[in-house]
């Protein structure tokens, strides 16, 4: 249910992983490669992961969701390697008995990915490249590790 | 020995995806200081540390045989 892959992700396969008789709602989040970020044009992206730990952290997010939203089922797949504009980088599928929980749990999953899952993105521009997140100092970790859970 | 995995810009700065530290036991903070003094890696201030795939605190002990990962701010999604 939690994977790091190098091939394109099938949204249909992801939703099929969570569809079941008890579920009345499935939400899917599809993260795609954006061409322009604040006016700066990206040519392509490269994702790198600490794969073994990333899978563990994705599974931890699934566990957190199970604890917060009753009777939920979660599948997350993140793609790594070189991705082109509009390629799918991540798909999160969540099923729950009722729709509100499916929406909320899905948003929780992507926010947690951005906090604790060891995956990095390098943007390749026409005139250079940079690993995103390393130089902006927007994400301090005062305790030396990520916050346990910032979701309300 | 302690194996330290490097990712993203740290990997590019040091020029390898892992380094081996010949020490038996030290804290995460001591290891972080050692690497930053020994290698031209730049600031490790915002880098998290995982020991055997679990996020660790500065005072946690790292021992010979452990695999440590230096984790710059993540940017998946």
């Amino acid at each position: 249910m939690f994977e790091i892959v190098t091939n394109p992700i099938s949204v249909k396969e992801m939703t099929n992983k969570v569809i079941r008789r008890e579920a009345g709602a499935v939400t899917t989040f599809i993260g795609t490669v954006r061409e322009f970020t604040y006016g700066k044009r990206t040519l392509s992206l490269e994702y790198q992961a600490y794969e073994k730990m990333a899978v563990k952290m994705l599974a931890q997010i699934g566990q957190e969701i199970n604890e917060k939203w009753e009777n939920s089922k979660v599948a997350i797949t993140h793609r790594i390697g070189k991705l082109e504009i509009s390629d799918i980088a991540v798909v999160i599928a969540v099923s729950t008995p009722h729709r509100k929980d499916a929406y909320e749990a899905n948003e929780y999953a992507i926010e947690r990915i951005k906090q604790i899952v060891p995956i990095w993105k390098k943007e390749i521009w026409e005139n250079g490249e940079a690993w995103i997140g390393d130089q902006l100092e927007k994400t301090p970790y005062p305790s030396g590790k990520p916050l346990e859970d910032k979701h309300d | 020995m302690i194996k330290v995995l490097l990712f993203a810009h740290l990997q590019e700065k040091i020029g390898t995806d892992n380094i081996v530290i010949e020490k038996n036991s030290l804290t995460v903070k001591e290891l972080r200081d050692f690497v930053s003094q020994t290698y031209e890696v730049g600031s490790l201030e915002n880098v998290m540390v995982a020991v055997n795939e679990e996020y660790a605190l500065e005072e946690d002990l790292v021992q010979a045989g452990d695999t440590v990962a230096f984790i710059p701010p993540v940017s998946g999604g």
Side-chain angles (χ1 to χ4, degrees):
Chain A
M1 300 298 274
F2 306 97
E3 287 184 304
I4 302 292
V5 299
T6 53
N7 296 323
I9 304 169
S10 158
V11 178
K12 185 164 175 47
E13 280 176 25
M14 294 298 291
T15 52
N16 283 343
K17 285 184 181 181
V18 300
I19 284 179
R20 61 214 154 101
R21 296 178 77 89
E22 316 85 291
V26 175
T27 54
T28 52
F29 171 82
I30 304 169
T32 54
V33 176
R34 180 176 55 232
E35 182 170 18
F36 287 94
T37 301
Y38 304 118
K40 189 163 197 171
R41 186 178 184 199
T42 297
L43 299 181
S44 63
L45 283 189
E46 182 188 330
Y47 280 98
Q48 183 186 69
Y50 179 11
E51 287 189 49
K52 212 169 155 192
M53 184 171 170
V55 170
K56 271 174 81 169
M57 290 297 113
L58 291 175
Q60 179 184 313
I61 292 169
Q63 183 61 39
E64 289 174 10
I65 287 172
N66 289 150
E67 287 165 14
K68 285 171 183 289
W69 288 276
E70 200 175 330
N71 199 2
S72 55
K73 191 170 184 185
V74 186
I76 308 174
T77 297
H78 204 298
R79 185 176 171 189
I80 57 170
K82 191 178 180 199
L83 273 71
E84 305 296 336
I85 304 302
S86 296
D87 277 353
I88 295 174
V90 62
V91 175
I92 303 165
V94 178
S95 72
T96 56
H98 302 285
R99 73 176 179 280
K100 194 164 190 289
D101 287 351
Y103 274 120
E104 288 179 358
N106 201 308
E107 185 178 18
Y108 177 86
I110 188 66
E111 296 303 326
R112 289 295 274 159
I113 285 172
K114 289 174 177 297
Q115 291 169 359
I116 67 167
V117 181
I119 296 175
W120 300 271
K121 172 169 71 178
K122 181 197 256 184
E123 286 185 359
I124 295 135
W125 312 305
E126 284 163 323
N127 57 351
E129 56 182 43
W131 289 99
I132 301 304
D134 64 274
Q135 77 284 50
L136 302 178
E137 297 183 358
K138 277 165 60 182
T139 314
Y141 300 101
S143 68
K145 61 189 281 190
L147 300 173
E148 284 300 316
D149 173 9
K150 292 202 301 196
H151 190 81
D152 293 327
Chain B
M1 59 164 237
I2 295 159
K3 189 174 184 185
V4 179
L5 306 178
L6 304 164
F7 298 96
H9 71 287
L10 300 179
Q11 190 177 100
E12 290 181 354
K13 272 190 173 161
I14 297 188
T16 176
D17 61 4
N18 76 87
I19 51 179
V20 171
I21 312 287
E22 296 295 343
K23 293 194 183 281
N24 285 327
S25 176
L26 70 181
T27 65
V28 166
K29 184 177 186 322
E30 287 165 347
L31 177 66
R32 186 195 289 271
D33 291 345
F34 178 80
V35 171
S36 95
Q37 284 157 19
T38 311
Y39 297 89
E40 289 188 7
V41 68
S43 171
L44 293 176
E45 198 180 329
N46 281 337
V47 171
M48 297 183 281
V49 176
V51 179
N52 300 328
E53 295 151 27
E54 301 282 345
Y55 286 111
L57 297 171
E58 292 297 279
E59 60 272 21
D60 287 347
L61 263 192
V62 183
Q63 292 179 316
D66 286 343
T67 298
V68 175
F70 281 0
I71 300 184
V74 300
S75 52

